Amino acid sequence: MVAYGKTLRKIRKQKGITLKELADGICSISFLSKFERTDSDITLGLMTSVLEKLMLSFDEFLYIHHDFQPNKLEQFFKSVNTAYMNRNAKLLKELKNEEMKKWKRYGVETYHWNALMIMMLGQIVDEQFIDEDFEENDIRLLSDYLFRVEVWGYYELALYNGTLLLLETDMVIMLSRTAYQKSNRFKDFNKVKDAITTVLFNTIIYLLGPVNRFHEEFTYQKEIGEFISYLENLALSEENLLERVHLLQLKGVYDIRTGNKEEGVVKINHSIQILKDLQSTKMANNFEQYLQQILSYLKNTQL
Amino acid sequence: MVAYGKTLRKIRKQKGITLKELADGICSISFLSKFERTDSDITLGLMTSVLEKLMLSFDEFLYIHHDFQPNKLEQFFKSVNTAYMNRNAKLLKELKNEEMKKWKRYGVETYHWNALMIMMLGQIVDEQFIDEDFEENDIRLLSDYLFRVEVWGYYELALYNGTLLLLETDMVIMLSRTAYQKSNRFKDFNKVKDAITTVLFNTIIYLLGPVNRFHEEFTYQKEIGEFISYLENLALSEENLLERVHLLQLKGVYDIRTGNKEEGVVKINHSIQILKDLQSTKMANNFEQYLQQILSYLKNTQL
DNA sequence: TTCAAAATTGTCATATAGTGGAATTTTTGA
DNA sequence: TCAAAAATTCCACTATATGACAATTTTGAA
């Protein structure tokens, strides 16, 4: 049994509410007291009523309970992502092993997908990463799962975001389309909406390709247009300035990629200027570096 | 008992997981089946494990359960806010009466605060709004509550945001300071962080005062500086472009308010330009209107 | 400090959450 | 189409969540 009761008592006291007031109309005083002292667990239905009366959402309650830390799911993706960003292959391996263990213990495939995602990220960090746990058609199984799930939530989106880079182009196009369609009902739920947005941005970046292939012919005009329209649909609200700046930049890259070099450079510089104006220096620098990379590459290939 | 079980079954099926797999290590298969058929409620502890295994947060689960609608708390503030924005006094009155009823029934003060907040908003919409339910020292009780609560969560911040406009200046300064300090631990919890940010912006706007008092002497330089520094602290992350634009605008207003008219106009125009560049037209228009209002007022008072 | 009222805890009865395994239904695949 | 296997439900039983009320502790006003 988890010690949620103590957290409840703490919060109740902080708000200056008595057991009687809180219990009234929901459950008996003595039981609430017992729950708060962790002498008993509580039913989900009762807990719902109690939190409602305290004007607390479940997530806020759990956030406090976990000492102001996000829930386990978010923590998982956060720690994987941090390890990946720091190119920490050892930590990634540990995280992978934990998930493999859970998979073998419970037989629930989700733990398997988690392990797979970590292995795929590990492979980018260190070419020697993949071990006996990885089998050739695992990726196939993973994408089968993603196609099969009828509603994509935060989990599926985060999972896909972690694996997208290593999938085939056709697969990415189909899956990203699926992702958008099957997560659409969450569009007013910020956490999930952000994950969809990330998928769409990553897809566009993937389709534009790495800079050292910018001289090759480009064939994804239609698809990029499609994903941009999804993004505009989603982040329609005027308040999503970050998304709008990012989109402006990517439209610039797209222009360059499709031959409109001058127009593209103008757009990218414009996005950089806005970031500088708002003192978002790091992001501005990243954008600038990327632009320089593109320009110097184009110069070299034209010689 | 609430029919959470059906939602669980739906999600489990969508993810292609069997009762056996999900129950393994958590509870018996037969019980999980019973819960899913709403033949039994479930303990909070068990539900936590189940959701963890499904890679779902409580909020996401409840969001699905409520047919992709936000939780009751958010819905409450949302509906109050919509009614206020639409200047719908009748609807506000209904909402108020509901909260009064709950207050009288349970004796829990939170419902009283809700009713008070609605009455205060109602008073702005319609001067005849306040009725026998409102007593002179109620506002006092409300601010006492806000001072007393040791940790401000989403509820307290939303409540304060709804009442701030009608409080005395000294009270606003103290309460906003309290709000910032006592909600600080939530700074990584987006929903609450947004509420803090709103409080701080509203406080700054409040302290700058209505345009038709811009000729009066200004004495809140120190306080505005304090609240701006809180904001910069909170929304430090480079990604909060909206907050940065908004802050730029308010710094401009501050400049004008303290005599630096030229500098202020430059800042505000800059913020407007950025919004226009990003096609956030409505916001740009609002900023522009506000600027025009200020300028024409200053012109008139100087004649 | 004292004492009554309010708030909380303890005790015991009972309703129901939760288990194990047999029975039934559904799915699979030859 | 039909067994065999897998998944789910049913049923009898146990553990524990929950309620009623008495006992105890805390609060706060005099």
Side-chain angles (χ1 to χ4, degrees):
Chain A
M1 186 187 21
V2 205
Y4 293 123
K6 292 202 171 173
T7 308
L8 183 71
R9 171 155 292 187
K10 206 177 71 190
I11 294 173
R12 179 173 63 79
K13 294 272 180 182
Q14 278 172 2
K15 298 208 177 198
I17 296 174
T18 68
L19 278 174
K20 190 185 168 190
E21 286 166 340
L22 186 54
D24 190 24
I26 297 175
C27 65
S28 73
I29 299 169
S30 64
F31 171 66
L32 198 57
S33 162
K34 237 167 145 179
F35 169 63
E36 287 190 350
R37 283 171 287 138
T38 50
D39 273 7
S40 177
D41 203 341
I42 195 174
T43 270
L44 185 57
L46 282 190
M47 190 62 177
T48 307
S49 312
V50 169
L51 290 182
E52 201 179 304
K53 208 160 178 181
L54 284 173
M55 308 285 158
L56 268 178
S57 71
F58 257 99
D59 259 23
E60 191 170 339
F61 175 78
L62 293 172
Y63 189 79
I64 296 171
H65 177 76
H66 294 124
D67 218 19
F68 297 84
Q69 298 294 318
N71 62 52
K72 288 203 180 168
L73 186 59
E74 274 178 79
Q75 277 189 46
F76 169 71
F77 283 110
K78 213 167 160 181
S79 56
V80 170
N81 199 49
T82 309
Y84 170 65
M85 288 301 192
N86 298 335
R87 313 184 72 73
N88 187 341
K90 190 159 161 276
L91 181 51
L92 281 173
K93 202 129 216 167
E94 281 169 27
L95 289 165
K96 185 218 75 182
N97 288 337
E98 272 178 49
E99 298 305 304
M100 286 301 284
K101 218 158 61 190
K102 287 190 209 164
W103 177 43
K104 278 166 185 159
R105 183 157 156 213
Y106 299 118
V108 174
E109 286 297 334
T110 34
Y111 295 118
H112 189 195
W113 314 141
N114 294 351
L116 267 171
M117 177 187 75
I118 300 174
M119 282 192 261
M120 289 168 82
L121 291 173
Q123 187 67 10
I124 301 175
V125 170
D126 171 9
E127 285 183 7
Q128 315 287 304
F129 195 90
I130 280 181
D131 56 19
E132 75 279 1
D133 285 335
F134 186 82
E135 287 171 33
E136 262 319 310
N137 75 332
D138 276 348
I139 293 185
R140 183 63 196 218
L141 292 176
L142 174 59
S143 50
D144 280 355
Y145 167 72
L146 288 173
F147 278 120
R148 193 171 63 237
V149 180
E150 290 165 41
V151 176
W152 284 38
Y154 174 80
Y155 174 68
E156 284 77 17
L157 291 163
L159 182 71
Y160 177 51
N161 260 324
T163 48
L164 173 153
L165 274 178
L166 293 185
L167 300 176
E168 305 286 330
T169 310
D170 290 347
M171 188 62 94
V172 169
I173 291 173
M174 285 192 291
L175 275 175
S176 293
R177 197 177 281 143
T178 307
Y180 175 70
Q181 287 160 350
K182 291 191 173 175
S183 63
N184 208 33
R185 301 190 67 187
F186 281 105
K187 64 176 178 301
D188 294 324
F189 193 69
N190 280 333
K191 210 184 300 176
V192 180
K193 185 186 157 186
D194 289 346
I196 312 173
T197 310
T198 309
V199 163
L200 294 173
F201 275 122
N202 282 342
T203 306
I204 293 170
I205 292 166
Y206 176 98
L207 289 177
L208 288 168
V211 174
N212 61 21
R213 293 208 170 176
F214 266 33
H215 63 283
E216 293 176 9
E217 212 193 340
F218 186 65
T219 50
Y220 298 113
Q221 283 87 343
K222 211 173 98 265
E223 285 79 7
I224 294 233
E226 178 186 344
F227 290 114
I228 286 182
S229 78
Y230 293 159
L231 256 181
E232 287 177 330
N233 235 341
L234 249 188
L236 200 68
S237 158
E238 296 210 345
E239 280 105 46
N240 299 313
L241 298 189
L242 178 67
E243 286 78 6
R244 287 176 177 231
V245 170
H246 201 171
L247 197 54
L248 181 61
Q249 181 218 18
L250 289 183
K251 280 180 175 171
V253 179
Y254 175 79
D255 283 348
I256 297 178
R257 190 72 181 78
T258 53
N260 280 319
K261 188 177 157 190
E262 279 169 43
E263 214 172 312
V265 172
V266 168
K267 281 182 187 158
I268 298 177
N269 275 327
H270 194 168
S271 69
I272 294 170
Q273 190 53 49
I274 292 175
L275 289 174
K276 280 185 181 167
D277 287 350
L278 294 173
Q279 267 126 49
S280 294
T281 328
K282 275 189 203 161
M283 279 177 65
N285 286 342
N286 285 343
F287 280 28
E288 198 142 319
Q289 266 184 331
Y290 186 45
L291 176 60
Q292 289 314 321
Q293 229 179 309
I294 294 173
L295 291 180
S296 71
Y297 181 76
L298 286 182
K299 209 168 170 186
N300 289 336
T301 50
Q302 275 163 0
L303 289 179
Chain B
M1 186 186 20
V2 205
Y4 293 123
K6 292 201 172 172
T7 308
L8 184 72
R9 171 154 293 187
K10 206 177 70 189
I11 294 174
R12 179 174 63 78
K13 294 272 178 182
Q14 279 170 2
K15 298 208 177 196
I17 295 174
T18 68
L19 278 174
K20 190 183 167 191
E21 287 166 339
L22 185 54
D24 191 24
I26 297 176
C27 66
S28 71
I29 299 169
S30 61
F31 172 67
L32 199 57
S33 164
K34 234 166 142 182
F35 169 63
E36 287 189 352
R37 284 172 288 136
T38 48
D39 274 5
S40 177
D41 203 342
I42 195 174
T43 269
L44 184 57
L46 281 191
M47 190 63 178
T48 307
S49 312
V50 169
L51 289 182
E52 200 178 307
K53 207 159 178 180
L54 284 172
M55 307 286 158
L56 269 178
S57 71
F58 257 101
D59 259 23
E60 191 169 341
F61 175 79
L62 293 171
Y63 189 78
I64 297 171
H65 176 75
H66 294 124
D67 218 20
F68 296 84
Q69 298 294 318
N71 62 53
K72 290 204 180 168
L73 186 59
E74 273 178 80
Q75 277 189 47
F76 169 70
F77 283 109
K78 215 169 162 180
S79 56
V80 170
N81 199 49
T82 310
Y84 170 65
M85 289 300 193
N86 298 335
R87 313 185 71 75
N88 187 340
K90 192 159 159 274
L91 181 51
L92 282 174
K93 202 127 218 172
E94 281 169 27
L95 289 165
K96 185 219 76 180
N97 288 336
E98 272 179 48
E99 297 305 303
M100 285 301 284
K101 217 158 63 190
K102 287 191 209 161
W103 177 43
K104 278 165 186 162
R105 183 158 156 215
Y106 300 118
V108 174
E109 284 299 334
T110 33
Y111 295 118
H112 189 196
W113 315 142
N114 294 350
L116 268 172
M117 177 188 74
I118 301 174
M119 283 193 261
M120 289 168 82
L121 291 173
Q123 187 67 10
I124 300 175
V125 171
D126 170 10
E127 285 185 7
Q128 315 287 302
F129 194 91
I130 280 182
D131 56 19
E132 76 280 357
D133 285 337
F134 186 83
E135 287 171 32
E136 262 319 311
N137 74 332
D138 277 348
I139 294 185
R140 184 60 196 223
L141 291 176
L142 174 59
S143 50
D144 280 355
Y145 168 71
L146 288 173
F147 277 121
R148 193 171 63 238
V149 179
E150 290 166 41
V151 176
W152 284 38
Y154 174 80
Y155 174 67
E156 284 77 18
L157 291 162
L159 182 71
Y160 177 51
N161 259 322
T163 48
L164 173 152
L165 274 177
L166 293 185
L167 299 176
E168 305 285 330
T169 310
D170 289 348
M171 187 63 93
V172 168
I173 291 173
M174 284 193 292
L175 275 175
S176 294
R177 198 178 280 143
T178 307
Y180 175 72
Q181 287 160 350
K182 291 192 172 174
S183 62
N184 208 34
R185 301 191 67 187
F186 281 104
K187 63 177 180 298
D188 295 325
F189 193 69
N190 280 333
K191 210 184 299 174
V192 180
K193 184 186 158 187
D194 289 346
I196 311 174
T197 310
T198 309
V199 163
L200 293 174
F201 275 122
N202 282 341
T203 306
I204 293 169
I205 293 166
Y206 177 98
L207 289 177
L208 288 168
V211 174
N212 61 22
R213 293 211 171 173
F214 266 33
H215 64 281
E216 294 177 9
E217 211 195 339
F218 186 64
T219 49
Y220 298 114
Q221 283 89 343
K222 212 174 98 260
E223 285 78 8
I224 295 233
E226 177 186 346
F227 290 114
I228 287 182
S229 78
Y230 293 159
L231 256 181
E232 287 176 332
N233 235 340
L234 249 187
L236 199 68
S237 158
E238 295 210 345
E239 280 105 45
N240 299 315
L241 298 189
L242 177 68
E243 286 78 6
R244 288 176 177 231
V245 171
H246 201 169
L247 197 54
L248 181 59
Q249 181 219 17
L250 289 183
K251 280 180 175 171
V253 180
Y254 175 80
D255 283 349
I256 297 179
R257 190 72 181 79
T258 52
N260 280 317
K261 188 176 155 189
E262 279 168 43
E263 213 172 311
V265 172
V266 168
K267 280 183 187 158
I268 297 177
N269 275 327
H270 195 169
S271 68
I272 293 170
Q273 190 54 48
I274 291 174
L275 289 174
K276 281 186 180 163
D277 288 350
L278 294 173
Q279 268 127 48
S280 294
T281 329
K282 274 188 205 161
M283 280 177 64
N285 287 340
N286 286 342
F287 280 29
E288 197 141 321
Q289 266 183 331
Y290 186 45
L291 177 59
Q292 288 315 319
Q293 229 179 308
I294 295 173
L295 291 180
S296 71
Y297 182 76
L298 287 183
K299 210 169 169 187
N300 289 335
T301 50
Q302 276 163 358
L303 289 178

